[in-house]
Amino acid sequence: MSDPILTAAEMRAAEAAVIAAGTSVDTLMARAGAAVAEAAWRFAGGCPTLILCGPGNNGGDGYVAARRLRARGVSVHVAAWAPPRTDAARAARAAWDGPVVPLEDAPAAPLLIDALFGTGLTRPLDDAIAAPLDRLAAGAALRLAVDLPSGVGSDDGAVLGPVPRFDLTLALGSLKPAHLLQPAAALMGRVAVADIGVPAPGATMHRIARPLLPEPGPADHKYSRGMVAVVPGAMPGAALLAAGAAQRAGAGYVLLADEGAGGADALVRRRWSPDLLTDARIGAIVVGPGLGRDDDARARLEAALAAGRPLVLDADALALLRDRLPLEAPAVLTPHEGEFARLFGDMPGSKIERARAAARRAGAVVLLKGADSVVAAPDSRIGIAPPAPGWLASAGTGDVLAGAIGAMLAGGLPPFEAACAGLWLHGDAARRAGPALIADDLVTHLAAARGACA
Ligand SMILES: NC(=O)C1=CN([C@@H]2O[C@H](COP(=O)(O)OP(=O)(O)OC[C@H]3O[C@@H](n4cnc5c(N)ncnc54)[C@H](OP(=O)(O)O)[C@@H]3O)[C@@H](O)[C@H]2O)[C@@H](O)CC1
Ligand SMILES: [K+]
């Protein structure tokens, strides 16, 4: 894990701690504005620039950036929505010796820098702000957002009105949830983080990074690398995908509890019996892909729950789980939004809050899938996946994810780390597989993704 993610309140607390330790807010703003100017210079090569400044410290960053860019010889215009309302922003405004025009009168420029609102946005933009922002964004060749595009909810990734698309978003100090949560994340373009000297010790949320996974050593054997048992059901293809994914994600031994055909020769196949799951060498059981929802499926799920081994519960298993929460065995649940709603009902709050509440209720790790997958642990830790290719929206990719997580669990990772690692492998395999991928391609590319984690 790396790259902490902070809510607006956590960011303010981190900032307050740095200020209490002797760094002034003006110094932080000077760093933030300098980082914006540097990013603009590198990104747009000194082309004529219009900077939009709001009334808070986001606007203050904009005034600092204006001064810095002009000092480099860039043609800079500044437009303001309202006069600065904080001391630091007033000081930054006073240090800018160029003109400031009202937002509605601003002429478009090739580079637009949006420093209207950042983490202090409290409500949707009214039309007097949204309309000129839209016009000026449309008239620019490149758009850079300071901390966040104005109009997105920092904590929940909501888009509070018509927010233009940006090419680059410079997150100040730390990532915020909106940088990764949809729909806001889709508007940000490339996201970069500027270090402004505000550490975030004890952050509970992180962007999921490439995991460091051990290579097999001379003392390893197939069982020490991890044995995964996959419980099949009515649709054998789904279980085959999960089993193949567990193999290619690095499990040493994969057992598919089904005598049928298909899959690699290295896949061990046995006729289903609940006793198969009592093998003490099993490090993880994957149940749900293609399971079905009839009495037989229920019996298989019960056998998996009774085995006391770490579990990955996906797809149909989630539909049968409602009366079985909280779980006793260590487990990762991998619902998409529909499965989540059926299992946990209508929950209020952001995707992060819902996943967290569900993990607490389930006594298990919940990986809420989507274009912005969120992993929540019962102890409140959160991992959010970096953006993954939209081509993953394809049949069977969830089965592959379940198998990859199974391999991570069987390899010895605790459930939260296993879910995050499996998710990273899945996204990386998708990037490698490329456009129009099918789930089978993901299985193939998991091996290279796994190899990148040494
Ligand atoms: N954290 C750090 O370490 C550092 C943070 N820094 C920077 O500070 C930023 C946060 O600054 P901030 O708290 O002053 O909030 P900001 O986003 O500028 O807006 C607040 C103002 O907007 C107003 N307002 C809100 N919504 C509105 C709406 N819809 N329409 C109209 N008005 C609206 C609101 O007024 P009110 O809600 O009271 O009416 C208030 O006046 C952060 O994103 C980063 O860029 C760096 O400078 C240094 C280090
Ligand atoms: K902004």
Side-chain angles (χ1 to χ4, degrees), residues 5-6 97 130 161 168 193 231 353 389 439:
I5 301 168
L6 300 188
D97 57 4
L168 174 65
V193 183
V231 177
E353 289 165 335

Side-chain angles (χ1 to χ4, degrees), residues 76-173:
V76 180
H77 288 85
V78 174
W81 153 248
R85 286 190 209 147
T86 70
D87 289 342
R90 268 191 283 271
R93 164 69 186 89
W96 162 248
D97 57 4
V100 177
V101 302
L103 187 61
E104 61 274 20
D105 298 341
L111 172 64
L112 177 76
I113 299 183
D114 163 19
L116 286 169
F117 306 102
T119 52
L121 186 88
T122 49
R123 55 193 179 281
L125 302 185
D126 66 37
D127 206 42
I129 305 172
L133 176 58
D134 186 53
R135 170 178 65 82
L136 296 166
L142 293 169
R143 289 147 286 261
L144 188 165
V146 176
D147 211 8
L148 296 157
S150 297
V152 308
S154 190
D155 289 355
D156 62 4
V159 175
L160 308 171
V163 177
R165 249 171 219 285
F166 286 81
D167 302 287
L168 174 65
T169 297
L170 188 67
L172 296 172

Side-chain angles (χ1 to χ4, degrees), residues 229-293:
V230 179
V231 177
M235 287 171 61
L240 274 173
L241 282 169
Q247 289 181 297
R248 292 297 183 189
Y253 189 116
V254 180
L255 168 70
L256 179 56
D258 174 15
E259 270 185 321
D265 291 339
L267 185 60
V268 181
R269 309 198 60 155
R270 297 262 187 279
R271 177 139 55 103
W272 164 256
S273 149
D275 293 342
L276 284 178
L277 302 183
T278 61
D279 186 333
R281 295 170 301 189
I282 291 174
I285 299 172
V286 179
V287 57
L291 182 66
R293 299 181 189 180

Side-chain angles (χ1 to χ4, degrees), residues 109-419:
L111 172 64
L112 177 76
I113 299 183
D114 163 19
L116 286 169
F117 306 102
T119 52
L121 186 88
T122 49
R123 55 193 179 281
L125 302 185
D126 66 37
D127 206 42
I129 305 172
L133 176 58
D134 186 53
R135 170 178 65 82
L136 296 166
L142 293 169
R143 289 147 286 261
L144 188 165
V146 176
D147 211 8
L148 296 157
S150 297
V152 308
S154 190
D155 289 355
D156 62 4
V159 175
L160 308 171
V163 177
R165 249 171 219 285
F166 286 81
D167 302 287
L168 174 65
T169 297
L170 188 67
L172 296 172
S174 265
L175 290 168
K176 322 297 180 304
H179 292 119
L180 294 162
L181 292 183
Q182 302 297 348
L187 299 173
M188 308 237 176
R190 233 191 91 206
V191 174
V193 183
D195 180 0
I196 57 168
V198 179
T204 58
M205 299 192 283
H206 290 83
R207 175 165 62 184
I208 294 171
R210 179 160 54 99
L212 196 58
L213 301 172
E215 295 271 284
D220 271 306
H221 50 79
K222 61 191 174 193
Y223 295 115
S224 69
R225 285 182 48 204
M227 177 175 175
V228 177
V230 179
V231 177
M235 287 171 61
L240 274 173
L241 282 169
Q247 289 181 297
R248 292 297 183 189
Y253 189 116
V254 180
L255 168 70
L256 179 56
D258 174 15
E259 270 185 321
D265 291 339
L267 185 60
V268 181
R269 309 198 60 155
R270 297 262 187 279
R271 177 139 55 103
W272 164 256
S273 149
D275 293 342
L276 284 178
L277 302 183
T278 61
D279 186 333
R281 295 170 301 189
I282 291 174
I285 299 172
V286 179
V287 57
L291 182 66
R293 299 181 189 180
D294 58 8
D295 287 347
D296 189 35
R298 203 172 281 278
R300 291 177 182 215
L301 174 62
E302 287 305 326
L305 293 174
R309 313 305 304 156
L311 295 163
V312 183
L313 296 157
D314 182 40
D316 289 334
L318 300 168
L320 301 174
L321 212 56
R322 206 182 167 115
D323 305 328
R324 303 292 276 107
L325 302 182
L327 297 168
E328 275 155 31
V332 178
L333 277 54
T334 55
H336 57 55
E337 284 284 0
E339 290 160 345
F340 185 91
R342 276 194 294 279
L343 182 53
F344 297 107
D346 254 350
M347 279 190 175
S350 70
K351 188 162 183 173
I352 292 170
E353 289 165 335
R354 292 184 296 120
R356 235 181 209 151
R360 259 184 240 122
R361 198 193 296 175
V365 167
V366 171
L367 191 170
L368 180 46
K369 293 187 286 201
D372 50 0
S373 293
V374 171
V375 182
D379 65 6
S380 283
R381 278 175 299 160
I382 291 286
I384 309 182
W391 294 109
L392 273 173
S394 159
T397 56
D399 308 325
V400 174
L401 176 63
I405 296 170
M408 298 298 103
L409 277 175
L413 291 183
F416 180 72
E417 286 76 7

